[in-house]
Amino acid sequence: MDEEKRITLRLPAGLHEWLAAQAKSARRSLNSEIVYRLEVERDAAVADTESP
């Protein structure tokens, strides 16, 4: 990341708990888990648009 932006994010409690558990399992912070998952989805979306 070249530049970082700070945001406030509201999540349903159940989603927050699930993400926190996934982050702990992957030995990442909650923030890093969210960024990781968003980047994976972005990369998949880009790949889908580049496919013939």
Side-chain angles (χ1 to χ4, degrees):
M1 279 184 286
D2 297 333
E3 183 180 343
E4 293 181 349
K5 300 287 184 178
R6 182 178 291 253
I7 65 168
T8 300
L9 178 64
R10 292 187 182 131
L11 297 172
L15 180 57
H16 179 273
E17 291 170 10
W18 180 82
L19 280 167
Q22 296 300 305
K24 185 175 182 179
S25 174
R27 305 182 103 190
R28 288 191 273 263
S29 67
L30 179 57
N31 185 79
S32 293
E33 185 69 19
I34 292 168
V35 169
Y36 169 77
R37 289 176 177 275
L38 288 171
E39 288 177 337
V40 166
E41 281 298 312
R42 180 197 57 199
D43 294 346
V46 168
D48 285 347
T49 60
E50 291 177 349
S51 297

